[in-house]
Amino acid sequence: MTPDRRTVLASAAVAGLAATTGLLTPAAAEGRGDAQPRRETFGHLPDGTRVDRWTLARGGTRLAVLSYGGIVQRLETPDRHGRTANVSLGFATLEPYLTATTYFGALIGRYGNRIAGGRFTLDGTTHQLPLNDGPNSLHGGDAGFDKRVWEITPAGPAALSLHRVSPDGEMGYPGTLDVTVTYTLTDDGDFRIDYAATTDAPTVVNLTNHTYFNLAGEGTGSILDHRLEIAAARYTPVDATLIPTGELAPVSGTPFDFRRGKPVGQDIRRGHPQLGHGKGFDHNLVLDKGVTRRPGHAATLHHPASGRTLTLATTEPGVQFYSGNFLDGALVGTTGNAYRQSDGLCLETQHYPDSPNQPHFPSTVLRPGQTYRSTTVHAFTTR
């Protein structure tokens, strides 16, 4: 019988296993009462601004977060034998984060994913955004939330509150947006993200997190052997620039059918024209549950060899599945290994791409007096 998570963690703590960083495992750290948020200097921006790294440990999970971009720099969790590994892609130092366009672990805003032509019209006024992805705007522009320093304060024994005010007109978006994002590790070691935002003028908002997962451990190779299930009977096909065509197409009979679960690599080489557009999977899956007040099931990712399993729940109506298609070996990760195509995957919970230009998609408009709220929970188990 495969041991449950708590048995695995207890065994790891007794054995005194060390993480790959040379630090205590999360379980051992907790055993010593070392679960309070800890802050250290991670580096400095060219203008001298200090960037902090905050570390949380709880329930067998260890999380390291940067004040720059709200970046998840490390996310460590045990396998079925209690051996801890970092399952998120990232960098060991600050400098690569300043220039890379991969968004490793970043907090994304104001608008996650693409907006066609970098342009949308709201209440009769057209707003132009930076074009940083060919003819389109991606992830809030070339200086989105991922390139900003966030104010971080502890919000509990294993929680962080990230706050910033995005001024009116930043990256072309209207309204002053006051944003608070809370990162929490639960008693069971789940990683929960709660987003909240208010505005003083009508605007559009679509926040998400861009962590790349490899449940075998960062820098160990491809995720094509991971088994993925996504609770979505439809997806949004895209044009050659990865903008949705507006259709909500059935996944049945296509490579995008993950309803019963299958290896990520099973259909990735099929000659489907949509896979050609994204050089693999880079598509929004329309979750069957739609928008919900409480997090509902979205996806399950499982790595058979280690037993690590990630179960994803969200209030959002979609999840952007990206199979790391544009990793080309040019970037070196935290373990010193180069990241190549499909060495990590993203499951970005969000509203659909280009929703401001697609009236029949769920709305991303936020008005004064309203509060934007979104929650995503990453539950880690073994089997």
Side-chain angles (χ1 to χ4, degrees):
M1 179 181 295
T2 302
D4 65 22
R5 181 178 176 85
R6 294 190 181 279
T7 301
V8 165
L9 296 176
S11 298
V14 170
L17 295 174
T20 56
T21 57
L23 301 172
L24 291 174
T25 63
E30 285 187 85
R32 292 177 50 168
D34 192 17
Q36 292 295 320
R38 291 181 299 163
R39 182 175 66 177
E40 61 186 324
T41 300
F42 190 69
H44 293 83
L45 299 182
D47 66 2
T49 301
R50 188 184 72 194
V51 173
D52 292 328
R53 176 169 64 181
W54 288 81
T55 304
L56 309 175
R58 194 182 199 186
T61 301
R62 184 183 181 88
L63 174 68
V65 177
L66 304 184
S67 57
Y68 180 78
I71 288 169
V72 173
Q73 191 255 340
R74 297 185 66 91
L75 181 57
E76 301 175 12
T77 188
D79 67 8
R80 65 167 67 93
H81 301 295
R83 294 176 298 217
T84 298
N86 174 23
V87 298
S88 66
L89 274 58
F91 301 119
T93 61
L94 176 62
E95 286 70 23
Y97 286 112
L98 305 183
T99 57
T101 57
T102 47
Y103 303 96
F104 286 149
L107 199 168
I108 300 296
R110 289 190 187 189
Y111 197 95
N113 221 307
R114 295 171 175 87
I115 294 181
R119 185 182 303 109
F120 67 92
T121 300
L122 179 59
D123 296 341
T125 300
T126 298
H127 302 276
Q128 181 63 55
L129 316 173
L131 303 182
N132 62 325
D133 186 56
N136 306 313
S137 187
L138 175 65
H139 293 333
D142 53 356
F145 286 1
D146 61 296
K147 299 295 184 186
R148 308 289 180 172
V149 174
W150 290 71
E151 177 187 358
I152 299 184
T153 55
L160 298 172
S161 175
L162 293 79
H163 177 259
R164 79 176 296 263
V165 175
S166 175
D168 179 36
E170 183 174 74
M171 292 289 100
Y173 288 89
T176 300
L177 194 73
D178 193 313
V179 185
T180 299
V181 181
T182 305
Y183 290 171
T184 304
L185 294 183
T186 71
D187 288 341
D188 291 329
D190 299 344
F191 174 33
R192 176 179 175 126
I193 307 177
D194 292 283
Y195 306 86
T198 58
T199 183
D200 63 0
T203 192
V204 296
V205 185
N206 190 28
L207 306 181
T208 190
N209 177 269
H210 208 288
T211 295
Y212 289 65
F213 293 99
N214 185 324
L215 298 185
E218 173 273 336
T220 60
S222 174
I223 47 77
L224 296 181
D225 63 341
H226 286 41
R227 187 172 182 85
L228 177 63
E229 172 265 330
I230 304 178
R234 296 177 296 169
Y235 77 109
T236 51
V238 295
D239 65 18
T241 69
L242 300 179
I243 292 294
T245 63
E247 180 184 7
L248 302 181
V251 300
S252 181
T254 77
F256 302 92
D257 192 348
F258 286 89
R259 289 174 293 177
R260 295 187 177 181
K262 63 183 178 182
V264 171
Q266 177 172 308
D267 295 320
I268 201 169
R269 306 298 180 202
R270 279 179 58 181
H272 193 284
Q274 284 293 309
L275 294 179
H277 291 330
K279 302 189 187 314
F281 295 104
D282 193 1
H283 293 75
N284 170 64
L285 280 294
V286 177
L287 296 174
D288 296 337
K289 69 174 192 63
V291 179
T292 49
R293 292 180 63 86
R294 299 189 179 197
H297 177 69
T300 301
L301 182 68
H302 175 64
H303 180 239
S306 69
R308 291 188 185 93
T309 303
L310 164 61
T311 302
L312 195 67
T314 186
T315 56
E316 291 296 298
V319 59
Q320 183 82 7
F321 169 38
Y322 172 57
S323 52
N325 316 320
F326 297 102
L327 300 176
D328 61 3
L331 301 176
V332 175
T334 51
T335 54
N337 294 323
Y339 292 143
R340 301 190 181 278
Q341 189 177 54
S342 296
D343 277 359
L345 64 80
C346 300
L347 296 168
E348 305 157 57
T349 54
Q350 57 188 20
H351 274 54
Y352 310 160
D354 200 37
S355 289
N357 296 313
Q358 309 267 2
H360 60 293
F361 285 0
S363 176
T364 54
V365 174
L366 180 69
R367 299 186 180 279
Q370 299 176 334
T371 300
Y372 168 96
R373 297 191 188 279
S374 176
T375 297
T376 293
V377 180
H378 308 76
F380 295 100
T381 55
T382 58
R383 63 187 187 197

